[in-house]
Amino acid sequence: MISFHDVHKVYDDGTIAVNRLNLEVPQGTLTVFVGPSGCGKTTSMRMINRMAEPTSGNVVVNGADVATVDPVRLRLGIGYVIQGGGLMPHQRVIDNVATVPVLKGMSRRAARKAAYAVLERVGLSAKLATRYPAQLSGGEQQRVGVARALAADPPILLMDEPFSAVDPIVRHELQREILRLQAELRKTIVFVTHDIDEAVRLADRVAVFGPGGSLQQYEEPARLLSHPANDFVARMIGAGRGYRWLQFLDATQLPVHDLPRLTASEVAGAQLHDDWALVVKSDGTPLGWIDEAGVAQHRDGAPLPDSITSVGALFRPNGNLSQALDAALSSPAAMGVAVDKEGKVTGGVRAGDVLAALDSHRRH
């Protein structure tokens, strides 16, 4: 457990960076510090490993005031990931990952051997081990940074805006990777970001920091979205608060409707009774939507891929209301495609049913 007890940080010019912070990060959870620039979130996180020192108050890690612990020994037991990975450019990937185990006394041979396993754990090929950081993509560099932080198997992991320098697609992949790793490893993670969507997606609990380094609210994401503590938090969450909340609402009871389906071989002779029909492959997985104009094009010789429209997002088993609404709204037929675990079509979901389920959640 990590605890902040009345922690105050004032710079020499009188600027208050952190204002009387009281907060507990439970063991084995992922807590996100979020807020605008200059609100004290990074300074607060850096106090955990003594890269910043409080003016008053204390930070306690596993029962010990960090001010009483040698900073080098403290940092060797805490993984640290920064933007861009913070890799040493003159060292190969494998040696970057092996750095902390070697510093803790492991032989370089043993540390390198263990590093291969960590690279695999974060989804990197062993063939990247002999490359230098400049030879990697931004996403690969960030994964190496995570691997290096995990190499000595620390119980605590600090992550300072680690994904802000990569493009949105890579960022989404890295977020998914962190969630997978956390499900396996159950580290105590403090993650700093200015992105409320990233905070809500990743966190077990979210700490919202405001101007002057004051903690505004500390809640589970669903509670934060449904009950912002004040106007600042509401503005931080933004206009999409209701939509974000949907991802925490279960959709397993959502009705799944029949939808018109055609196999690829049936398209040319089809007479559509609805505006759209779903074309499915021989294995039952969706290929795309087709309307009467698409059927006519196919009859006139156009290849099937040119005659159909994208399926849109898919609604999968154990999905949430956000995923169901996304599937419905991204479908040209106003009916989201629901599939089973094998990806085979089971029916369709409607936006109206999502709104009805949301209303039911609010009433109960």
Side-chain angles (χ1 to χ4, degrees), residues 167-323:
D167 66 70
I169 293 175
V170 173
R171 186 171 191 163
H172 188 80
E173 292 172 351
L174 291 169
Q175 289 169 353
R176 186 168 59 241
E177 194 69 19
I178 284 297
L179 290 172
R180 181 188 67 80
L181 287 168
Q182 179 64 352
E184 292 178 5
L185 303 176
R186 304 310 303 176
K187 301 290 184 183
T188 301
I189 300 177
V190 176
F191 187 110
V192 169
T193 184
H194 62 272
D195 184 340
I196 189 65
D197 287 312
E198 184 167 66
V200 167
R201 183 173 189 221
L202 296 180
D204 295 307
R205 301 193 77 182
V206 178
V208 180
F209 287 77
S214 295
L215 180 65
Q216 302 293 306
Q217 191 168 357
Y218 185 42
E219 298 278 7
E220 294 180 355
R223 177 74 180 176
L224 182 78
L225 293 173
S226 60
H227 295 85
N230 53 43
D231 288 343
F232 175 84
V233 177
R235 291 196 305 272
M236 184 73 197
I237 294 169
R241 175 160 57 97
Y243 183 75
R244 294 187 184 100
W245 186 40
L246 291 175
Q247 67 186 282
F248 299 99
L249 302 180
D250 177 69
T252 54
Q253 301 303 312
L254 204 66
V256 176
H257 302 276
D258 290 333
L259 49 75
R261 292 179 231 182
L262 299 169
T263 63
S265 61
E266 294 172 332
V267 171
Q271 296 291 330
L272 298 189
H273 301 291
D274 297 284
D275 291 336
W276 294 89
L278 183 69
V279 182
V280 297
K281 302 175 186 176
S282 58
D283 62 359
T285 59
L287 185 61
W289 289 98
I290 196 165
D291 59 5
E292 189 59 53
V295 171
Q297 288 176 3
H298 187 56
R299 288 195 193 109
D300 291 340
L304 195 56
D306 294 341
S307 305
I308 61 176
T309 303
S310 171
V311 174
L314 297 176
F315 178 64
R316 301 182 183 279
N318 301 317
N320 56 53
L321 289 184
S322 175
Q323 293 163 341

Side-chain angles (χ1 to χ4, degrees), residues 86-100:
L87 304 178
M88 291 173 280
H90 61 286
Q91 288 192 344
R92 299 177 305 163
V93 165
I94 197 69
D95 292 313
N96 265 283
V97 176
T99 298
V100 176

